[in-house]
Each structure stands twice: as structure tokens, then as C-alpha cells.
Amino acid sequence: MRKGVSLEVWLNLLPWLILALLVACSAFFSASEAALFYLTQEERNRLATGNRAQRAAALLLKNPDRLLSAVLFWNLVINITYFAIAAKIGLQLSQQASASPSTPFFFAAGSLLTIIFCSEMLPKSIAVLSARHLASLVSLPLSLAVRVLDPIMPGLHFVHLV
């Protein structure tokens, strides 16, 4: 018999792994937003003449509305997905015979605190401390995330104005 982790264990772990991945993705967008928008004009000018990643960061900042719309869109999609999966896990926890009646409440509170601290407060705090360096690191993947939304950007812009 082959030793290892069973399929059932992996299927039980999968939602938790997805939650962790979603927290990391949300942290990426939160930190990206803070780092890029915290840059001074002098730092933006230096980035514009730097390496490829630095130039990409400067280019993103040439259209701040487009950048902010994309960052907020992706963060919203990620956070909604996070809470949908967390709600499903909470329901499963409440249906377990061994679960305390307060288990779903504490799980929901923990999920909320996790997303607030691990994907909003902590990443933004770190980002403003090393904005220029982080702006270079996030610029290329962020450029792709922004470009993916270009076809729906006019609609997002319209909603933003209304």
C-alpha cells in the first residue's frame, strides 16, 4: 500500500489552501496600491528612467484612474471569493456533530480579521515603508492584471463616475 496523503485529506485541505492563496493575492493588490500611490513625484521620475520593471511602474502611474480601478476591481473579486469560500467552510463547520454552536461565529470573526490584517493593514504598512522597491517588484504582474481589464475598463470608468 502506498503511503502519503489521501485524496480525502487533500479535498478537505483544498478550501483552506485556496483561502490562503486568496489572502496572498489580496495582499498583493493592497500592497501594490499603497506602494505605487505613495511614491513622490521625484521617485516616479526616477522610475521612469530605470530598468524595465521600474519603467512599467511609472507607466502604470501615468493613468492613475485606470490603475486604481483595476486594483480595486481585482481586490473586490478576490475578497468576495474569499468570503464565499469562508462561508461554505463555516456552514460545513456548523453541520459537524462535534462542533460547538459558537464555532461558526468564531470562524467568521477569524476570517474577517484575517482578511483585514493579512491582506489590507499589514501589506499596506509594509508597502509604504519600501514603496519604491516594492513598486518595481509588483509592476510587471500588475501591468498584466490591468491589461486584462482593458476591454471592460470603459464600463468600470462609467460606474466610477456615477
Side-chain angles (χ1 to χ4, degrees), residues 36-74:
L36 287 164
F37 286 104
Y38 193 76
L39 295 170
T40 65
Q41 188 60 48
E42 182 183 320
E43 290 171 319
R44 291 177 187 199
N45 293 341
R46 263 190 259 138
L47 288 173
T49 60
N51 63 31
R52 181 177 176 225
Q54 292 168 335
R55 290 191 312 270
L59 189 60
L60 284 168
L61 288 164
K62 286 203 181 272
N63 191 342
D65 288 339
R66 175 180 176 241
L67 173 60
L68 186 58
S69 293
V71 166
L72 295 177
F73 175 86
W74 285 119

PDB file of all heavy atoms in Angstrom, residues 36-74:
ATOM      1  N   LEU A  36       2.545  52.098  -4.995  1.00  0.00           N
ATOM      2  CA  LEU A  36       2.551  52.958  -6.176  1.00  0.00           C
ATOM      3  C   LEU A  36       2.020  54.356  -5.877  1.00  0.00           C
ATOM      4  O   LEU A  36       2.582  55.357  -6.327  1.00  0.00           O
ATOM      5  CB  LEU A  36       1.771  52.302  -7.314  1.00  0.00           C
ATOM      6  CG  LEU A  36       2.498  51.118  -7.950  1.00  0.00           C
ATOM      7  CD1 LEU A  36       1.556  50.278  -8.778  1.00  0.00           C
ATOM      8  CD2 LEU A  36       3.662  51.594  -8.793  1.00  0.00           C
ATOM      9  N   PHE A  37       0.941  54.432  -5.115  1.00  0.00           N
ATOM     10  CA  PHE A  37       0.356  55.745  -4.860  1.00  0.00           C
ATOM     11  C   PHE A  37       1.069  56.507  -3.752  1.00  0.00           C
ATOM     12  O   PHE A  37       0.811  57.689  -3.564  1.00  0.00           O
ATOM     13  CB  PHE A  37      -1.146  55.613  -4.580  1.00  0.00           C
ATOM     14  CG  PHE A  37      -1.933  55.336  -5.826  1.00  0.00           C
ATOM     15  CD1 PHE A  37      -2.407  54.067  -6.094  1.00  0.00           C
ATOM     16  CD2 PHE A  37      -2.177  56.334  -6.748  1.00  0.00           C
ATOM     17  CE1 PHE A  37      -3.118  53.792  -7.245  1.00  0.00           C
ATOM     18  CE2 PHE A  37      -2.888  56.084  -7.908  1.00  0.00           C
ATOM     19  CZ  PHE A  37      -3.361  54.809  -8.165  1.00  0.00           C
ATOM     20  N   TYR A  38       1.974  55.871  -3.045  1.00  0.00           N
ATOM     21  CA  TYR A  38       2.750  56.539  -2.004  1.00  0.00           C
ATOM     22  C   TYR A  38       4.010  57.202  -2.565  1.00  0.00           C
ATOM     23  O   TYR A  38       4.623  58.025  -1.905  1.00  0.00           O
ATOM     24  CB  TYR A  38       3.129  55.523  -0.908  1.00  0.00           C
ATOM     25  CG  TYR A  38       3.649  56.151   0.347  1.00  0.00           C
ATOM     26  CD1 TYR A  38       2.779  56.767   1.249  1.00  0.00           C
ATOM     27  CD2 TYR A  38       5.002  56.136   0.650  1.00  0.00           C
ATOM     28  CE1 TYR A  38       3.254  57.353   2.413  1.00  0.00           C
ATOM     29  CE2 TYR A  38       5.484  56.711   1.817  1.00  0.00           C
ATOM     30  CZ  TYR A  38       4.603  57.318   2.691  1.00  0.00           C
ATOM     31  OH  TYR A  38       5.071  57.900   3.846  1.00  0.00           O
ATOM     32  N   LEU A  39       4.375  56.851  -3.789  1.00  0.00           N
ATOM     33  CA  LEU A  39       5.581  57.401  -4.400  1.00  0.00           C
ATOM     34  C   LEU A  39       5.477  58.914  -4.596  1.00  0.00           C
ATOM     35  O   LEU A  39       4.435  59.421  -5.001  1.00  0.00           O
ATOM     36  CB  LEU A  39       5.827  56.740  -5.759  1.00  0.00           C
ATOM     37  CG  LEU A  39       6.145  55.256  -5.758  1.00  0.00           C
ATOM     38  CD1 LEU A  39       6.128  54.713  -7.183  1.00  0.00           C
ATOM     39  CD2 LEU A  39       7.486  54.996  -5.097  1.00  0.00           C
ATOM     40  N   THR A  40       6.569  59.599  -4.350  1.00  0.00           N
ATOM     41  CA  THR A  40       6.617  61.033  -4.620  1.00  0.00           C
ATOM     42  C   THR A  40       6.831  61.252  -6.121  1.00  0.00           C
ATOM     43  O   THR A  40       7.215  60.322  -6.846  1.00  0.00           O
ATOM     44  CB  THR A  40       7.773  61.696  -3.852  1.00  0.00           C
ATOM     45  OG1 THR A  40       9.013  61.171  -4.355  1.00  0.00           O
ATOM     46  CG2 THR A  40       7.661  61.443  -2.356  1.00  0.00           C
ATOM     47  N   GLN A  41       6.632  62.472  -6.554  1.00  0.00           N
ATOM     48  CA  GLN A  41       6.849  62.773  -7.974  1.00  0.00           C
ATOM     49  C   GLN A  41       8.310  62.544  -8.353  1.00  0.00           C
ATOM     50  O   GLN A  41       8.599  62.058  -9.443  1.00  0.00           O
ATOM     51  CB  GLN A  41       6.441  64.222  -8.286  1.00  0.00           C
ATOM     52  CG  GLN A  41       6.459  64.543  -9.767  1.00  0.00           C
ATOM     53  CD  GLN A  41       5.516  63.654 -10.572  1.00  0.00           C
ATOM     54  OE1 GLN A  41       4.361  63.457 -10.217  1.00  0.00           O
ATOM     55  NE2 GLN A  41       6.020  63.090 -11.665  1.00  0.00           N
ATOM     56  N   GLU A  42       9.217  62.864  -7.454  1.00  0.00           N
ATOM     57  CA  GLU A  42      10.639  62.636  -7.712  1.00  0.00           C
ATOM     58  C   GLU A  42      10.928  61.138  -7.895  1.00  0.00           C
ATOM     59  O   GLU A  42      11.669  60.740  -8.798  1.00  0.00           O
ATOM     60  CB  GLU A  42      11.482  63.198  -6.564  1.00  0.00           C
ATOM     61  CG  GLU A  42      12.970  63.039  -6.763  1.00  0.00           C
ATOM     62  CD  GLU A  42      13.767  63.552  -5.574  1.00  0.00           C
ATOM     63  OE1 GLU A  42      13.388  64.593  -5.018  1.00  0.00           O
ATOM     64  OE2 GLU A  42      14.763  62.904  -5.211  1.00  0.00           O
ATOM     65  N   GLU A  43      10.335  60.311  -7.047  1.00  0.00           N
ATOM     66  CA  GLU A  43      10.534  58.855  -7.171  1.00  0.00           C
ATOM     67  C   GLU A  43       9.917  58.329  -8.470  1.00  0.00           C
ATOM     68  O   GLU A  43      10.494  57.468  -9.138  1.00  0.00           O
ATOM     69  CB  GLU A  43       9.930  58.130  -5.964  1.00  0.00           C
ATOM     70  CG  GLU A  43      10.704  58.367  -4.682  1.00  0.00           C
ATOM     71  CD  GLU A  43       9.982  57.838  -3.454  1.00  0.00           C
ATOM     72  OE1 GLU A  43       8.740  57.995  -3.362  1.00  0.00           O
ATOM     73  OE2 GLU A  43      10.669  57.273  -2.586  1.00  0.00           O
ATOM     74  N   ARG A  44       8.785  58.874  -8.850  1.00  0.00           N
ATOM     75  CA  ARG A  44       8.145  58.465 -10.105  1.00  0.00           C
ATOM     76  C   ARG A  44       9.034  58.824 -11.298  1.00  0.00           C
ATOM     77  O   ARG A  44       9.159  58.048 -12.234  1.00  0.00           O
ATOM     78  CB  ARG A  44       6.787  59.147 -10.258  1.00  0.00           C
ATOM     79  CG  ARG A  44       5.759  58.659  -9.285  1.00  0.00           C
ATOM     80  CD  ARG A  44       4.464  59.424  -9.425  1.00  0.00           C
ATOM     81  NE  ARG A  44       3.535  59.053  -8.377  1.00  0.00           N
ATOM     82  CZ  ARG A  44       2.240  59.269  -8.437  1.00  0.00           C
ATOM     83  NH1 ARG A  44       1.701  59.872  -9.481  1.00  0.00           N
ATOM     84  NH2 ARG A  44       1.470  58.904  -7.439  1.00  0.00           N
ATOM     85  N   ASN A  45       9.644  59.993 -11.238  1.00  0.00           N
ATOM     86  CA  ASN A  45      10.539  60.417 -12.312  1.00  0.00           C
ATOM     87  C   ASN A  45      11.753  59.496 -12.402  1.00  0.00           C
ATOM     88  O   ASN A  45      12.195  59.152 -13.502  1.00  0.00           O
ATOM     89  CB  ASN A  45      10.979  61.861 -12.113  1.00  0.00           C
ATOM     90  CG  ASN A  45       9.833  62.845 -12.276  1.00  0.00           C
ATOM     91  OD1 ASN A  45       8.808  62.518 -12.866  1.00  0.00           O
ATOM     92  ND2 ASN A  45       9.986  64.024 -11.712  1.00  0.00           N
ATOM     93  N   ARG A  46      12.301  59.098 -11.250  1.00  0.00           N
ATOM     94  CA  ARG A  46      13.440  58.176 -11.248  1.00  0.00           C
ATOM     95  C   ARG A  46      13.053  56.814 -11.820  1.00  0.00           C
ATOM     96  O   ARG A  46      13.828  56.197 -12.538  1.00  0.00           O
ATOM     97  CB  ARG A  46      13.996  58.007  -9.828  1.00  0.00           C
ATOM     98  CG  ARG A  46      15.175  58.908  -9.575  1.00  0.00           C
ATOM     99  CD  ARG A  46      15.862  58.572  -8.272  1.00  0.00           C
ATOM    100  NE  ARG A  46      15.397  59.564  -7.308  1.00  0.00           N
ATOM    101  CZ  ARG A  46      15.060  59.331  -6.055  1.00  0.00           C
ATOM    102  NH1 ARG A  46      15.171  58.144  -5.550  1.00  0.00           N
ATOM    103  NH2 ARG A  46      14.637  60.293  -5.280  1.00  0.00           N
ATOM    104  N   LEU A  47      11.864  56.361 -11.486  1.00  0.00           N
ATOM    105  CA  LEU A  47      11.403  55.068 -12.009  1.00  0.00           C
ATOM    106  C   LEU A  47      11.271  55.116 -13.534  1.00  0.00           C
ATOM    107  O   LEU A  47      11.559  54.133 -14.217  1.00  0.00           O
ATOM    108  CB  LEU A  47      10.056  54.675 -11.395  1.00  0.00           C
ATOM    109  CG  LEU A  47      10.063  54.238  -9.936  1.00  0.00           C
ATOM    110  CD1 LEU A  47       8.637  54.041  -9.427  1.00  0.00           C
ATOM    111  CD2 LEU A  47      10.872  52.969  -9.749  1.00  0.00           C
ATOM    112  N   ALA A  48      10.843  56.231 -14.049  1.00  0.00           N
ATOM    113  CA  ALA A  48      10.626  56.367 -15.495  1.00  0.00           C
ATOM    114  C   ALA A  48      11.905  56.187 -16.299  1.00  0.00           C
ATOM    115  O   ALA A  48      11.852  55.866 -17.488  1.00  0.00           O
ATOM    116  CB  ALA A  48      10.005  57.726 -15.797  1.00  0.00           C
ATOM    117  N   THR A  49      13.059  56.351 -15.677  1.00  0.00           N
ATOM    118  CA  THR A  49      14.329  56.195 -16.387  1.00  0.00           C
ATOM    119  C   THR A  49      15.098  54.962 -15.915  1.00  0.00           C
ATOM    120  O   THR A  49      16.265  54.793 -16.254  1.00  0.00           O
ATOM    121  CB  THR A  49      15.215  57.438 -16.190  1.00  0.00           C
ATOM    122  OG1 THR A  49      15.479  57.601 -14.797  1.00  0.00           O
ATOM    123  CG2 THR A  49      14.545  58.682 -16.747  1.00  0.00           C
ATOM    124  N   GLY A  50      14.435  54.102 -15.163  1.00  0.00           N
ATOM    125  CA  GLY A  50      15.105  52.928 -14.609  1.00  0.00           C
ATOM    126  C   GLY A  50      15.009  51.700 -15.501  1.00  0.00           C
ATOM    127  O   GLY A  50      14.828  51.804 -16.720  1.00  0.00           O
ATOM    128  N   ASN A  51      15.094  50.551 -14.890  1.00  0.00           N
ATOM    129  CA  ASN A  51      15.022  49.283 -15.627  1.00  0.00           C
ATOM    130  C   ASN A  51      13.585  49.012 -16.088  1.00  0.00           C
ATOM    131  O   ASN A  51      12.682  49.821 -15.854  1.00  0.00           O
ATOM    132  CB  ASN A  51      15.575  48.124 -14.778  1.00  0.00           C
ATOM    133  CG  ASN A  51      14.767  47.874 -13.522  1.00  0.00           C
ATOM    134  OD1 ASN A  51      13.560  48.082 -13.463  1.00  0.00           O
ATOM    135  ND2 ASN A  51      15.442  47.430 -12.473  1.00  0.00           N
ATOM    136  N   ARG A  52      13.386  47.876 -16.716  1.00  0.00           N
ATOM    137  CA  ARG A  52      12.080  47.553 -17.309  1.00  0.00           C
ATOM    138  C   ARG A  52      10.953  47.583 -16.277  1.00  0.00           C
ATOM    139  O   ARG A  52       9.887  48.161 -16.515  1.00  0.00           O
ATOM    140  CB  ARG A  52      12.156  46.176 -17.970  1.00  0.00           C
ATOM    141  CG  ARG A  52      10.877  45.747 -18.624  1.00  0.00           C
ATOM    142  CD  ARG A  52      11.042  44.408 -19.330  1.00  0.00           C
ATOM    143  NE  ARG A  52       9.771  43.983 -19.873  1.00  0.00           N
ATOM    144  CZ  ARG A  52       9.291  42.766 -19.778  1.00  0.00           C
ATOM    145  NH1 ARG A  52       9.991  41.817 -19.189  1.00  0.00           N
ATOM    146  NH2 ARG A  52       8.123  42.455 -20.295  1.00  0.00           N
ATOM    147  N   ALA A  53      11.160  46.975 -15.129  1.00  0.00           N
ATOM    148  CA  ALA A  53      10.126  46.932 -14.090  1.00  0.00           C
ATOM    149  C   ALA A  53       9.840  48.332 -13.546  1.00  0.00           C
ATOM    150  O   ALA A  53       8.680  48.690 -13.301  1.00  0.00           O
ATOM    151  CB  ALA A  53      10.551  45.995 -12.969  1.00  0.00           C
ATOM    152  N   GLN A  54      10.881  49.123 -13.385  1.00  0.00           N
ATOM    153  CA  GLN A  54      10.694  50.483 -12.887  1.00  0.00           C
ATOM    154  C   GLN A  54       9.930  51.333 -13.899  1.00  0.00           C
ATOM    155  O   GLN A  54       9.038  52.111 -13.535  1.00  0.00           O
ATOM    156  CB  GLN A  54      12.048  51.110 -12.556  1.00  0.00           C
ATOM    157  CG  GLN A  54      12.710  50.448 -11.365  1.00  0.00           C
ATOM    158  CD  GLN A  54      14.159  50.846 -11.202  1.00  0.00           C
ATOM    159  OE1 GLN A  54      14.832  51.235 -12.153  1.00  0.00           O
ATOM    160  NE2 GLN A  54      14.660  50.730  -9.968  1.00  0.00           N
ATOM    161  N   ARG A  55      10.269  51.183 -15.167  1.00  0.00           N
ATOM    162  CA  ARG A  55       9.537  51.922 -16.212  1.00  0.00           C
ATOM    163  C   ARG A  55       8.079  51.486 -16.259  1.00  0.00           C
ATOM    164  O   ARG A  55       7.178  52.302 -16.495  1.00  0.00           O
ATOM    165  CB  ARG A  55      10.213  51.744 -17.568  1.00  0.00           C
ATOM    166  CG  ARG A  55      11.549  52.457 -17.684  1.00  0.00           C
ATOM    167  CD  ARG A  55      12.083  52.494 -19.114  1.00  0.00           C
ATOM    168  NE  ARG A  55      12.047  51.214 -19.801  1.00  0.00           N
ATOM    169  CZ  ARG A  55      13.015  50.308 -19.797  1.00  0.00           C
ATOM    170  NH1 ARG A  55      14.139  50.534 -19.123  1.00  0.00           N
ATOM    171  NH2 ARG A  55      12.890  49.180 -20.462  1.00  0.00           N
ATOM    172  N   ALA A  56       7.826  50.190 -16.038  1.00  0.00           N
ATOM    173  CA  ALA A  56       6.446  49.685 -16.025  1.00  0.00           C
ATOM    174  C   ALA A  56       5.651  50.327 -14.886  1.00  0.00           C
ATOM    175  O   ALA A  56       4.486  50.679 -15.062  1.00  0.00           O
ATOM    176  CB  ALA A  56       6.439  48.163 -15.899  1.00  0.00           C
ATOM    177  N   ALA A  57       6.298  50.488 -13.727  1.00  0.00           N
ATOM    178  CA  ALA A  57       5.636  51.147 -12.595  1.00  0.00           C
ATOM    179  C   ALA A  57       5.293  52.586 -12.946  1.00  0.00           C
ATOM    180  O   ALA A  57       4.178  53.058 -12.683  1.00  0.00           O
ATOM    181  CB  ALA A  57       6.519  51.084 -11.353  1.00  0.00           C
ATOM    182  N   ALA A  58       6.237  53.287 -13.549  1.00  0.00           N
ATOM    183  CA  ALA A  58       5.998  54.684 -13.937  1.00  0.00           C
ATOM    184  C   ALA A  58       4.889  54.774 -14.974  1.00  0.00           C
ATOM    185  O   ALA A  58       4.057  55.689 -14.924  1.00  0.00           O
ATOM    186  CB  ALA A  58       7.290  55.301 -14.467  1.00  0.00           C
ATOM    187  N   LEU A  59       4.862  53.831 -15.894  1.00  0.00           N
ATOM    188  CA  LEU A  59       3.823  53.810 -16.925  1.00  0.00           C
ATOM    189  C   LEU A  59       2.441  53.575 -16.316  1.00  0.00           C
ATOM    190  O   LEU A  59       1.457  54.201 -16.731  1.00  0.00           O
ATOM    191  CB  LEU A  59       4.147  52.744 -17.974  1.00  0.00           C
ATOM    192  CG  LEU A  59       3.293  52.727 -19.226  1.00  0.00           C
ATOM    193  CD1 LEU A  59       3.408  54.051 -19.971  1.00  0.00           C
ATOM    194  CD2 LEU A  59       3.710  51.585 -20.131  1.00  0.00           C
ATOM    195  N   LEU A  60       2.355  52.685 -15.350  1.00  0.00           N
ATOM    196  CA  LEU A  60       1.072  52.443 -14.675  1.00  0.00           C
ATOM    197  C   LEU A  60       0.551  53.726 -14.035  1.00  0.00           C
ATOM    198  O   LEU A  60      -0.650  54.004 -14.061  1.00  0.00           O
ATOM    199  CB  LEU A  60       1.229  51.369 -13.599  1.00  0.00           C
ATOM    200  CG  LEU A  60       1.321  49.930 -14.069  1.00  0.00           C
ATOM    201  CD1 LEU A  60       1.755  49.014 -12.929  1.00  0.00           C
ATOM    202  CD2 LEU A  60      -0.013  49.460 -14.656  1.00  0.00           C
ATOM    203  N   LEU A  61       1.449  54.513 -13.482  1.00  0.00           N
ATOM    204  CA  LEU A  61       1.054  55.729 -12.783  1.00  0.00           C
ATOM    205  C   LEU A  61       0.701  56.881 -13.718  1.00  0.00           C
ATOM    206  O   LEU A  61       0.185  57.897 -13.271  1.00  0.00           O
ATOM    207  CB  LEU A  61       2.156  56.150 -11.815  1.00  0.00           C
ATOM    208  CG  LEU A  61       2.264  55.247 -10.594  1.00  0.00           C
ATOM    209  CD1 LEU A  61       3.583  55.465  -9.874  1.00  0.00           C
ATOM    210  CD2 LEU A  61       1.086  55.474  -9.667  1.00  0.00           C
ATOM    211  N   LYS A  62       0.961  56.718 -15.016  1.00  0.00           N
ATOM    212  CA  LYS A  62       0.570  57.762 -15.982  1.00  0.00           C
ATOM    213  C   LYS A  62      -0.948  57.841 -16.119  1.00  0.00           C
ATOM    214  O   LYS A  62      -1.482  58.862 -16.524  1.00  0.00           O
ATOM    215  CB  LYS A  62       1.219  57.516 -17.332  1.00  0.00           C
ATOM    216  CG  LYS A  62       2.697  57.851 -17.326  1.00  0.00           C
ATOM    217  CD  LYS A  62       3.171  58.132 -18.725  1.00  0.00           C
ATOM    218  CE  LYS A  62       4.642  58.433 -18.727  1.00  0.00           C
ATOM    219  NZ  LYS A  62       4.922  59.842 -18.520  1.00  0.00           N
ATOM    220  N   ASN A  63      -1.623  56.729 -15.804  1.00  0.00           N
ATOM    221  CA  ASN A  63      -3.082  56.718 -15.833  1.00  0.00           C
ATOM    222  C   ASN A  63      -3.580  56.176 -14.492  1.00  0.00           C
ATOM    223  O   ASN A  63      -3.965  55.020 -14.382  1.00  0.00           O
ATOM    224  CB  ASN A  63      -3.588  55.862 -16.998  1.00  0.00           C
ATOM    225  CG  ASN A  63      -5.067  56.030 -17.241  1.00  0.00           C
ATOM    226  OD1 ASN A  63      -5.796  56.513 -16.379  1.00  0.00           O
ATOM    227  ND2 ASN A  63      -5.516  55.620 -18.410  1.00  0.00           N
ATOM    228  N   PRO A  64      -3.567  57.020 -13.448  1.00  0.00           N
ATOM    229  CA  PRO A  64      -3.903  56.539 -12.109  1.00  0.00           C
ATOM    230  C   PRO A  64      -5.335  56.031 -11.961  1.00  0.00           C
ATOM    231  O   PRO A  64      -5.586  55.121 -11.175  1.00  0.00           O
ATOM    232  CB  PRO A  64      -3.635  57.744 -11.209  1.00  0.00           C
ATOM    233  CG  PRO A  64      -3.580  58.916 -12.109  1.00  0.00           C
ATOM    234  CD  PRO A  64      -3.205  58.413 -13.468  1.00  0.00           C
ATOM    235  N   ASP A  65      -6.287  56.594 -12.715  1.00  0.00           N
ATOM    236  CA  ASP A  65      -7.667  56.110 -12.627  1.00  0.00           C
ATOM    237  C   ASP A  65      -7.784  54.672 -13.121  1.00  0.00           C
ATOM    238  O   ASP A  65      -8.461  53.851 -12.510  1.00  0.00           O
ATOM    239  CB  ASP A  65      -8.616  57.001 -13.445  1.00  0.00           C
ATOM    240  CG  ASP A  65      -8.853  58.352 -12.802  1.00  0.00           C
ATOM    241  OD1 ASP A  65      -8.626  58.475 -11.579  1.00  0.00           O
ATOM    242  OD2 ASP A  65      -9.269  59.278 -13.513  1.00  0.00           O
ATOM    243  N   ARG A  66      -7.116  54.388 -14.226  1.00  0.00           N
ATOM    244  CA  ARG A  66      -7.105  53.030 -14.782  1.00  0.00           C
ATOM    245  C   ARG A  66      -6.469  52.059 -13.793  1.00  0.00           C
ATOM    246  O   ARG A  66      -6.991  50.976 -13.534  1.00  0.00           O
ATOM    247  CB  ARG A  66      -6.338  53.028 -16.108  1.00  0.00           C
ATOM    248  CG  ARG A  66      -6.155  51.673 -16.736  1.00  0.00           C
ATOM    249  CD  ARG A  66      -5.366  51.839 -18.046  1.00  0.00           C
ATOM    250  NE  ARG A  66      -5.056  50.576 -18.664  1.00  0.00           N
ATOM    251  CZ  ARG A  66      -3.831  50.134 -18.888  1.00  0.00           C
ATOM    252  NH1 ARG A  66      -2.773  50.851 -18.559  1.00  0.00           N
ATOM    253  NH2 ARG A  66      -3.640  48.971 -19.460  1.00  0.00           N
ATOM    254  N   LEU A  67      -5.342  52.468 -13.221  1.00  0.00           N
ATOM    255  CA  LEU A  67      -4.634  51.627 -12.254  1.00  0.00           C
ATOM    256  C   LEU A  67      -5.491  51.370 -11.023  1.00  0.00           C
ATOM    257  O   LEU A  67      -5.661  50.224 -10.600  1.00  0.00           O
ATOM    258  CB  LEU A  67      -3.315  52.297 -11.853  1.00  0.00           C
ATOM    259  CG  LEU A  67      -2.531  51.642 -10.720  1.00  0.00           C
ATOM    260  CD1 LEU A  67      -2.146  50.219 -11.070  1.00  0.00           C
ATOM    261  CD2 LEU A  67      -1.300  52.470 -10.389  1.00  0.00           C
ATOM    262  N   LEU A  68      -6.041  52.423 -10.451  1.00  0.00           N
ATOM    263  CA  LEU A  68      -6.837  52.270  -9.239  1.00  0.00           C
ATOM    264  C   LEU A  68      -8.095  51.439  -9.500  1.00  0.00           C
ATOM    265  O   LEU A  68      -8.462  50.587  -8.687  1.00  0.00           O
ATOM    266  CB  LEU A  68      -7.209  53.634  -8.657  1.00  0.00           C
ATOM    267  CG  LEU A  68      -7.911  53.609  -7.304  1.00  0.00           C
ATOM    268  CD1 LEU A  68      -7.051  52.905  -6.250  1.00  0.00           C
ATOM    269  CD2 LEU A  68      -8.262  55.018  -6.861  1.00  0.00           C
ATOM    270  N   SER A  69      -8.742  51.662 -10.631  1.00  0.00           N
ATOM    271  CA  SER A  69      -9.931  50.872 -10.968  1.00  0.00           C
ATOM    272  C   SER A  69      -9.593  49.386 -11.054  1.00  0.00           C
ATOM    273  O   SER A  69     -10.332  48.543 -10.547  1.00  0.00           O
ATOM    274  CB  SER A  69     -10.525  51.329 -12.304  1.00  0.00           C
ATOM    275  OG  SER A  69     -11.035  52.629 -12.201  1.00  0.00           O
ATOM    276  N   ALA A  70      -8.486  49.076 -11.694  1.00  0.00           N
ATOM    277  CA  ALA A  70      -8.081  47.679 -11.828  1.00  0.00           C
ATOM    278  C   ALA A  70      -7.731  47.068 -10.475  1.00  0.00           C
ATOM    279  O   ALA A  70      -8.152  45.939 -10.163  1.00  0.00           O
ATOM    280  CB  ALA A  70      -6.898  47.556 -12.789  1.00  0.00           C
ATOM    281  N   VAL A  71      -6.967  47.777  -9.676  1.00  0.00           N
ATOM    282  CA  VAL A  71      -6.570  47.259  -8.357  1.00  0.00           C
ATOM    283  C   VAL A  71      -7.811  47.017  -7.491  1.00  0.00           C
ATOM    284  O   VAL A  71      -7.947  45.958  -6.861  1.00  0.00           O
ATOM    285  CB  VAL A  71      -5.586  48.219  -7.660  1.00  0.00           C
ATOM    286  CG1 VAL A  71      -5.428  47.886  -6.196  1.00  0.00           C
ATOM    287  CG2 VAL A  71      -4.234  48.199  -8.359  1.00  0.00           C
ATOM    288  N   LEU A  72      -8.713  47.971  -7.476  1.00  0.00           N
ATOM    289  CA  LEU A  72      -9.922  47.818  -6.664  1.00  0.00           C
ATOM    290  C   LEU A  72     -10.812  46.703  -7.196  1.00  0.00           C
ATOM    291  O   LEU A  72     -11.405  45.950  -6.419  1.00  0.00           O
ATOM    292  CB  LEU A  72     -10.687  49.144  -6.598  1.00  0.00           C
ATOM    293  CG  LEU A  72      -9.966  50.282  -5.873  1.00  0.00           C
ATOM    294  CD1 LEU A  72     -10.780  51.561  -5.937  1.00  0.00           C
ATOM    295  CD2 LEU A  72      -9.648  49.904  -4.435  1.00  0.00           C
ATOM    296  N   PHE A  73     -10.907  46.590  -8.510  1.00  0.00           N
ATOM    297  CA  PHE A  73     -11.706  45.513  -9.111  1.00  0.00           C
ATOM    298  C   PHE A  73     -11.170  44.149  -8.696  1.00  0.00           C
ATOM    299  O   PHE A  73     -11.912  43.300  -8.205  1.00  0.00           O
ATOM    300  CB  PHE A  73     -11.704  45.641 -10.646  1.00  0.00           C
ATOM    301  CG  PHE A  73     -12.397  44.499 -11.330  1.00  0.00           C
ATOM    302  CD1 PHE A  73     -13.770  44.529 -11.536  1.00  0.00           C
ATOM    303  CD2 PHE A  73     -11.687  43.380 -11.762  1.00  0.00           C
ATOM    304  CE1 PHE A  73     -14.420  43.471 -12.159  1.00  0.00           C
ATOM    305  CE2 PHE A  73     -12.329  42.323 -12.383  1.00  0.00           C
ATOM    306  CZ  PHE A  73     -13.702  42.366 -12.580  1.00  0.00           C
ATOM    307  N   TRP A  74      -9.866  43.929  -8.909  1.00  0.00           N
ATOM    308  CA  TRP A  74      -9.286  42.622  -8.580  1.00  0.00           C
ATOM    309  C   TRP A  74      -9.372  42.336  -7.090  1.00  0.00           C
ATOM    310  O   TRP A  74      -9.664  41.204  -6.685  1.00  0.00           O
ATOM    311  CB  TRP A  74      -7.844  42.524  -9.075  1.00  0.00           C
ATOM    312  CG  TRP A  74      -7.751  42.336 -10.548  1.00  0.00           C
ATOM    313  CD1 TRP A  74      -7.148  43.167 -11.443  1.00  0.00           C
ATOM    314  CD2 TRP A  74      -8.302  41.258 -11.316  1.00  0.00           C
ATOM    315  NE1 TRP A  74      -7.284  42.666 -12.717  1.00  0.00           N
ATOM    316  CE2 TRP A  74      -7.986  41.496 -12.674  1.00  0.00           C
ATOM    317  CE3 TRP A  74      -9.034  40.114 -10.999  1.00  0.00           C
ATOM    318  CZ2 TRP A  74      -8.371  40.635 -13.693  1.00  0.00           C
ATOM    319  CZ3 TRP A  74      -9.421  39.253 -12.020  1.00  0.00           C
ATOM    320  CH2 TRP A  74      -9.089  39.527 -13.340  1.00  0.00           C
TER     321      TRP A  74
END
